[in-house]
Amino acid sequence: MTDDEITIGDRRLHYLIEGDGAPILWIHGFPLGGEIYQHQLSIEGVRHVVPDLPGFGRSDPYDLPEETTIHQYTSDLLGLLDALKIDKAVMAGLSMGGYVAFDLVRVAASRLLGLILIDTKEAADDDSGREARMASIESIRRKGRTVEFVDEMLPKLLSESSKNDPELVETLRSLMASASVTAVVSAQQAMATRPDSTSLLPEIPCPTLVVAGREDVITPPEITERMCAAIPNAEMQLIEGAGHLPPMERPIEFNAVVREFLRERIQGEGQS
Ligand code: MLT
């Protein structure tokens, strides 16, 4: 495994690389880090690239969190692929990572070998969603800490059975708690101002796997079904017993659907 970083301006962007084969870029959700994909590194026949988005994991935050956009994350990830001399990759994004993956479709469609949309949605925030994010930014800034925010969000990420898995809950809590105030503010700002991607769905040019936990309350299965129906070359899989984080909650089942997608739709179709 390679554990390394690139420098963008004066910021360090940390990433892991594992395996050989068609590249797959794993983009994590909020407020997490590349660590959510630790169980996916065992998927064979691909070259896993697992960054920490700015401010999360071991990557430095942006200087101006209140001005962060999803597109900044996209630019950093394209910079990472360029630095690694990866022309095309399967882009896999979970929730906020999916918002970034949509932006990659928007600005770099020719670099997609395939797309894996995990517990994410195409719609932008509505007014009340945006207001809730702004209120959480204000509250986190005022308190100077994220602990209450983490406590409130954590149960929404997990299925009922996952909530009864103390090891998983502890791993998730410590991952969420490691996100700095700056990182959380940045990501909330970026998500609040993200564009709607509904009109992009029929334009997605590559094989697409749309996958979600059956018990996800943040992006429920109706959203996953709606997205899959609008993407020309897509298939859908729901993971039983998982909530918003199937790669962590049900890694065996999640990896099985990813392996099948890669084998049937990606591997053998050529790569850079
Ligand atoms: C995530 O899991 O990345 C976030 O819950 C997405 C969101 O807040 O819209």
Side-chain angles (χ1 to χ4, degrees):
M1 178 171 347
T2 307
D3 182 335
D4 208 346
E5 59 192 34
I6 56 164
T7 305
I8 302 173
D10 56 1
R11 278 184 298 110
R12 290 164 308 155
L13 187 81
H14 173 260
Y15 63 92
L16 296 177
I17 295 200
E18 172 74 14
D20 283 310
I24 179 165
L25 177 70
W26 294 101
I27 313 166
H28 64 80
F30 168 81
L32 304 165
E35 197 184 322
I36 66 164
Y37 294 120
Q38 60 174 308
H39 299 296
Q40 281 62 60
L41 300 180
S42 60
I43 297 175
E44 52 292 306
V46 279
R47 184 179 181 207
H48 301 276
V49 181
V50 192
D52 291 322
L53 291 173
F56 297 99
R58 282 184 272 164
S59 289
D60 292 334
Y62 291 126
D63 286 340
L64 300 172
E66 268 84 357
E67 292 177 19
T68 307
T69 62
I70 287 289
H71 191 61
Q72 277 177 278
Y73 293 139
T74 310
S75 299
D76 281 1
L77 295 183
L78 289 173
L80 174 61
L81 293 182
D82 289 344
L84 297 172
K85 303 203 178 344
I86 293 173
D87 180 24
K88 294 186 178 197
V90 176
M91 313 285 186
L94 185 146
S95 202
M96 179 178 78
Y99 310 156
V100 179
F102 286 131
D103 199 46
L104 285 161
V105 174
R106 198 172 281 113
V107 301
S110 64
R111 301 187 71 166
L112 285 159
L113 272 181
L115 186 64
I116 305 181
L117 298 170
I118 311 159
D119 298 78
T120 193
K121 57 174 175 280
E122 77 288 35
D125 283 357
D126 59 16
D127 287 345
S128 71
R130 258 188 296 272
E131 278 162 24
R133 291 203 203 270
M134 291 307 144
S136 91
I137 289 177
E138 196 277 322
S139 161
I140 289 166
R141 278 282 188 220
R142 184 164 34 79
K143 292 175 184 142
R145 57 173 191 250
T146 62
V147 59
E148 292 85 358
F149 177 78
V150 169
D151 283 346
E152 195 194 319
M153 183 166 182
L154 190 146
K156 297 183 195 153
L157 298 178
L158 297 175
S159 70
E160 286 310 311
S161 55
S162 300
K163 281 179 205 165
N164 292 319
D165 177 342
E167 203 178 320
L168 175 62
V169 171
E170 210 25 65
T171 303
L172 182 58
R173 182 180 300 283
S174 82
L175 184 56
M176 292 172 81
S178 71
S180 64
V181 165
T182 309
V184 172
V185 168
S186 261
Q188 287 283 52
Q189 179 69 31
M191 291 190 284
T193 54
R194 75 188 188 275
D196 192 290
S197 296
T198 307
S199 63
L200 199 67
L201 300 184
E203 314 292 326
I204 293 177
C206 56
T208 302
L209 170 64
V210 190
V211 53
R214 168 85 67 189
E215 295 178 43
D216 187 352
V217 292
I218 297 179
T219 47
E222 308 84 81
I223 291 182
T224 303
E225 281 161 18
R226 178 180 80 196
M227 271 198 311
C228 186
I231 302 172
N233 193 2
E235 65 189 69
M236 185 179 94
Q237 297 283 348
L238 291 177
I239 308 292
E240 301 297 332
H244 194 56
L245 302 176
M248 289 180 86
E249 295 180 80
R250 289 286 180 274
I252 294 171
E253 296 80 356
F254 178 80
N255 287 2
V257 303
V258 170
R259 274 196 185 94
E260 191 183 338
F261 172 75
L262 294 172
R263 193 173 50 241
E264 292 190 357
R265 314 293 297 284
I266 307 294
Q267 283 156 340
E269 291 194 6
Q271 56 166 301
S272 65

